[in-house]
Amino acid sequence: MPTRVVLAPMAGVSVQAFRRQGRRFGAGLVCSEMVSCAGIEHRNERTLGYLRVAADEHPLAIQIFGSEPRVMAEAARMVAAAGADIVDINFGCPVRKVTKTGAGATLLDDPERACRIVEAVAGAVQVPVSVKMRRGLENGSRRCLEVGPRLVESGAQTLTLHPRSAKQMYTGEADHSLTAELAALVDVPVIASGDITSRAKAQAVLAATGAAAVMVGRAAQGNPWAVQEILEGDGAEPSREEVVAELVLFMRETVRELGDRRAGGFLKKFYGWYLGRGRFPRPFKQELVLLETVGEVEARLFAEVPGARFVLARIEQEQPVADEILLDGMPISIYGGG
């Protein structure tokens, strides 16, 4: 990893456009959103679409989730074939539709199965295997300290800890004293996740925990400058031209990846993320959400900030073309957005 900042895997966020942007702003490792192993096994078209990999994303971790060791191992093989540098296993998702299947954070309460999954995945691929987990299911749980070392014995070569409980979701504060305890228990790198919002916080967590790196999640949503600030300490607010240029580039890449129809709905939350933080008036953000097409949103943005066109042209000139790896046998329509 060229830097000690990891861009977190986030469902409904970590599309290829998000990852490529994160790398441009200095993230040393980027991660896909979690990919369903059942979806891979059944060759679900939308699931396979998550396995698009561009040449400038590396190093890249692709995260998988599931509850059956055999299915997870087969998914790991496909993920590695798609170009992942790391196969990441999700033992942290607290969302009900994931945990009710026996996947995600639920596996922290089933350490035997969790270890079998890690062993199966590690045995199936040549690339490193990492695990992302929560502290446990219940508030105050210390289950991660019991399970973490066993996962390493089973083949995990990196652990990422988000020291909130699954019950907490994203409320309260991340208890990084647990991160420090975990880092002292295992002889593999530990990545600290949770509440990493500034360079000062990142430095404090690294110093206090002995973690190898920090993971940035919600702070980078619509705000890649957060990654840059953590790395360089430059907290200068981007200009309106820079904000609109980055948003339009993100929109164009998302349309290329998802197609016009899916991208239209997917992008709506990003308008508020990019244009918030006092950068643009609230009525303007609300106006964009009401527009019917991504093309109309782009035109309205450029009408509001004409100078963004020149900033965008410079960024596009500097950014390499997304040279994607296409797996044989995948439905071609996922690459054309059809």
Side-chain angles (χ1 to χ4, degrees), residues 17 20-21 24-25 225 239-254 274 294-295 297-299 301-303 305-320:
R20 294 183 78 205
Q21 184 184 62
R24 279 196 296 112
F25 277 81
W225 299 275
S239 68
R240 285 161 57 95
E241 287 76 13
E242 290 173 315
V243 170
V244 169
E246 287 292 346
L247 173 54
V248 171
L249 179 60
F250 184 87
M251 290 160 51
R252 289 179 178 180
E253 289 203 350
T254 302
Y274 274 91
V294 177
V297 174
E298 178 176 320
L301 285 166
F302 282 142
V305 188
R309 291 183 184 273
F310 303 104
V311 179
L312 176 60
R314 175 180 55 77
I315 297 172
E316 288 185 319
Q317 188 174 18
E318 295 172 353
Q319 177 167 280

Side-chain angles (χ1 to χ4, degrees), residues 71-295:
V71 179
M72 292 281 277
E74 179 58 31
R77 291 188 190 97
M78 285 197 67
V79 160
D85 301 292
I86 295 172
V87 176
D88 186 55
I89 303 173
N90 183 305
F91 289 166
C93 181
V95 177
R96 174 64 180 161
K97 68 179 181 181
V98 172
T99 58
K100 72 179 181 182
T101 68
T106 301
L107 284 160
L108 294 174
D109 266 7
D110 192 353
E112 297 296 333
R113 180 182 289 270
C115 289
R116 291 200 305 273
I117 287 173
V118 171
E119 186 175 358
V121 169
V125 296
Q126 298 299 311
V127 299
V129 172
S130 62
V131 176
K132 185 172 189 287
M133 58 184 178
R134 292 241 172 178
R135 67 181 297 164
L137 294 181
E138 299 298 325
N139 294 342
S141 172
R142 295 171 58 84
R143 181 56 62 93
C144 61
L145 303 181
E146 303 167 25
V147 178
R150 295 183 61 181
L151 300 179
V152 172
E153 291 174 5
S154 299
Q157 292 171 267
T158 302
L159 299 176
T160 299
L161 179 62
H162 183 162
R164 282 184 171 91
S165 68
K167 193 172 186 177
Q168 274 183 278
M169 298 291 285
Y170 296 98
T171 62
E173 295 184 359
D175 180 3
H176 282 294
S177 66
L178 281 174
T179 311
E181 290 188 66
L182 181 64
L185 284 174
V186 298
D187 58 0
V188 300
V190 171
I191 299 171
S193 174
D195 299 343
I196 307 298
T197 56
S198 67
R199 180 175 177 83
K201 186 61 183 283
Q203 289 179 325
V205 169
L206 287 171
T209 64
V214 292
M215 179 172 281
V216 181
R218 288 174 292 163
Q221 291 175 347
N223 191 34
W225 299 275
V227 175
Q228 193 172 56
E229 189 276 331
I230 289 169
L231 288 168
E232 302 174 4
D234 181 6
E237 182 67 17
S239 68
R240 285 161 57 95
E241 287 76 13
E242 290 173 315
V243 170
V244 169
E246 287 292 346
L247 173 54
V248 171
L249 179 60
F250 184 87
M251 290 160 51
R252 289 179 178 180
E253 289 203 350
T254 302
V255 168
R256 178 182 58 79
E257 181 177 356
L258 303 182
D260 285 294
R261 184 174 178 181
R262 280 184 61 197
F266 174 85
L267 286 166
K268 289 184 184 298
K269 57 182 175 284
F270 284 90
Y271 303 150
W273 288 341
Y274 274 91
L275 305 178
R277 300 175 174 86
R279 294 168 181 164
F280 286 81
R282 183 183 295 271
F284 180 64
K285 295 179 288 183
Q286 294 171 334
E287 178 186 344
L288 296 184
V289 172
L290 296 176
L291 295 176
E292 291 189 5
T293 69
V294 177

